[in-house]
Amino acid sequence: AQSVAQPEDQVNVAEGNPLTVKCTYSVSGNPYLFWYVQYPNRGLQFLLKYITGDNLVKGSYGFEAEFNKSQTSFHLKKPSALVSDSALYFCAVRASNTGGFKTIFGAGTRLFVKA
Amino acid sequence: DTGVSQDPRHKITKRGQNVTFRCDPISEHNRLYWYRQTLGQGPEFLTYFQNEAQLEKSRLLSDRFSAERPKGSFSTLEIQRTEQGDSAMYLCASSLDQGWEGYTFGSGTRLTVV
């Protein structure tokens, strides 16, 4: 069965500092991995995805994520945080070897960027 | 195309009543998904469609829940005999057929059962 763990309920960083939001996953076979962001009173927005190839993937708003197969992790990163990055971030996984395309989401990590 | 639309945005209903939600996906997206999100949790998978075919249902989807996508375009999610535990945000998403595509989510329908 697929699962996603986001070990931190909240991450606090100062504006301008680098940020990391952690995610580990469990899936049979090779994973497709995703990050989504949810701003208050808004729907989830797709940020980036890992399918295959380069372990470092780049996405929207300057975010990137690093895939580590041995650690089954897919941490979200940004070199310099903005106050406007404050939101709820969800990691998600989908098994690539099934036809179902069902995506499983983590519980979310709230990012708070302080000015 | 204005993205994924969900209607209504909010629904307050009395326990025991039936409710129906509608989702209009992006027109060229063949796949449509329903998720449920409660406060402090990530979205939980409910069901998904490829065109008009419902291909997978979660065990979370009890007999009181039914979803349809009759012409492969819009979809409806009906909850019969609502219970207070059904109170949640119901999210609809759509995607292209390729398995590696991210989803486009609607803004959701917030259901409150009183």
Side-chain angles (χ1 to χ4, degrees), chain A residues 11-14 16-22 63-64 75-82 85-86 89 111-113:
Chain A
V11 170
N12 299 309
V13 297
N17 283 359
L19 69 87
T20 299
V21 182
K22 295 179 181 177
F63 283 93
E64 56 191 26
H75 300 332
L76 181 70
K77 301 181 179 184
K78 187 173 183 181
S80 179
L82 300 172
D85 293 331
S86 299
Y89 290 83
L111 174 65
F112 181 70
V113 182

Side-chain angles (χ1 to χ4, degrees), chain A residues 20-66:
Chain A
T20 299
V21 182
K22 295 179 181 177
C23 171
T24 58
Y25 67 90
S26 174
V27 68
S28 297
N30 293 321
Y32 295 145
L33 294 158
F34 307 84
W35 276 100
Y36 290 81
V37 60
Q38 188 172 36
Y39 297 101
N41 301 315
R42 306 256 315 256
L44 279 84
Q45 296 177 33
F46 168 75
L47 267 183
L48 52 78
K49 65 186 177 188
Y50 170 83
I51 303 169
T52 187
D54 194 348
N55 289 341
L56 186 66
V57 294
K58 296 185 183 298
S60 307
Y61 312 121
F63 283 93
E64 56 191 26
E66 186 169 12

